Amino acid sequence: MLELHAVTAGYDRRTPVVTGASLTVASGESVGLLGPSGCGKSTLARVAALLHRPDAGRVTLDGAEVRAWRHRAPRTLRTTVGVVFQQPRLSADPRLRLRDLIAEPLRAAGRRTEIPGRLAELAPAVGLTDDLLARRPHEVSDGQLQRACLARALVLRPRLLVCDEMTAMLDASTTAALVTAVESYRADADASLLAVGHDRVLLERWCDRTVDWADIAGKTGSDSANP
């Protein structure tokens, strides 16, 4: 499904954040990537989500080598991957109501007719009521906003979900609810998961296998990735 081979990436070619990182996620598999804050795992997650072009190495998705990134990547590749970031307030447009936030990818893909049906499916799956869907980000809690961000990541039915510290800012009950929602989606869609975090207990309970950052990368650096 996903193969990262000898990936080097950063925001300044002279000082890469990640050097020589290799990781695979098989079809239908869930993999936890465990590492301390600042080691580079968020940058690698952005590479996996096709949001950041690596300086070197190879990324393969569904057997095809990725050659374009962000909006330049083919739509079929972009819609294969869904991503949830650690800080929902940095990845959510503050002007949008939650229902419009969730529907953003469908509008961008020219699939507006699917919006009512997908909202009806996803809102209860992530624990959002009609009242919450009508609110804007500043009117809801971090946990409620992250529920909407997860729904947004799932709205195009991705085959790979990348969760970058998705639950790091959340309480235990919200964490459990979001993990349950992800696993329910994966069971229905046979989707793969790359879950990035620093909580070994959570990742080992959640994922099929957990990989330590020190075992996949040749170097750690200052990870300053933002949505």
Side-chain angles (χ1 to χ4, degrees), residues 19-220:
T19 300
S22 297
L23 177 69
T24 60
V25 182
S27 180
E29 183 184 29
S30 57
V31 175
L33 177 56
L34 177 71
S37 297
C39 69
K41 59 188 186 298
S42 288
T43 297
L44 191 65
R46 289 178 64 83
V47 172
L50 310 186
L51 296 176
H52 186 78
R53 177 188 288 274
D55 298 322
R58 185 175 70 251
V59 179
T60 303
L61 194 58
D62 273 347
E65 185 172 349
V66 178
R67 299 185 181 279
W69 308 83
R70 297 183 71 91
H71 62 277
R72 293 184 178 87
R75 179 174 290 178
T76 53
L77 278 184
R78 296 200 309 269
T79 58
T80 294
V81 186
V83 59
V84 188
F85 297 103
Q86 176 181 353
Q87 300 184 57
R89 299 197 185 278
L90 295 181
S91 59
D93 188 332
R95 300 167 298 179
L96 297 180
R97 300 185 188 277
L98 296 196
R99 67 173 68 252
D100 297 317
L101 176 72
I102 296 168
E104 265 187 305
L106 286 171
R107 290 195 176 91
R111 295 160 55 179
R112 291 173 178 265
T113 57
E114 299 178 37
I115 291 174
R118 290 301 282 150
L119 281 174
E121 293 171 17
L122 287 170
V126 300
L128 291 175
T129 62
D130 287 342
D131 173 62
L132 290 171
L133 290 175
R135 299 182 189 180
R136 291 185 171 86
H138 72 276
E139 299 173 316
V140 298
S141 69
D142 286 345
Q144 290 164 340
L145 184 56
Q146 191 69 305
R147 291 170 189 265
C149 289
L150 174 57
R152 178 181 60 184
L154 299 178
V155 75
L156 292 178
R157 297 183 175 88
R159 295 187 52 248
L160 170 65
L161 184 64
V162 177
C163 294
D164 180 18
E165 299 272 15
M166 178 182 74
T167 64
M169 300 177 64
L170 308 179
D171 59 35
S173 62
T174 305
T175 293
L178 292 184
V179 169
T180 297
V182 168
E183 289 308 293
S184 177
Y185 173 78
R186 290 186 59 239
D188 290 342
D190 192 28
S192 303
L193 169 70
L194 175 60
V196 175
H198 60 264
D199 186 335
R200 181 180 293 275
V201 173
L202 172 63
L203 292 180
E204 290 186 345
R205 289 180 177 176
W206 185 4
C207 301
D208 297 329
R209 61 185 176 94
T210 300
V211 178
D212 284 295
W213 176 259
D215 294 333
I216 71 160
K219 176 183 177 181
T220 59

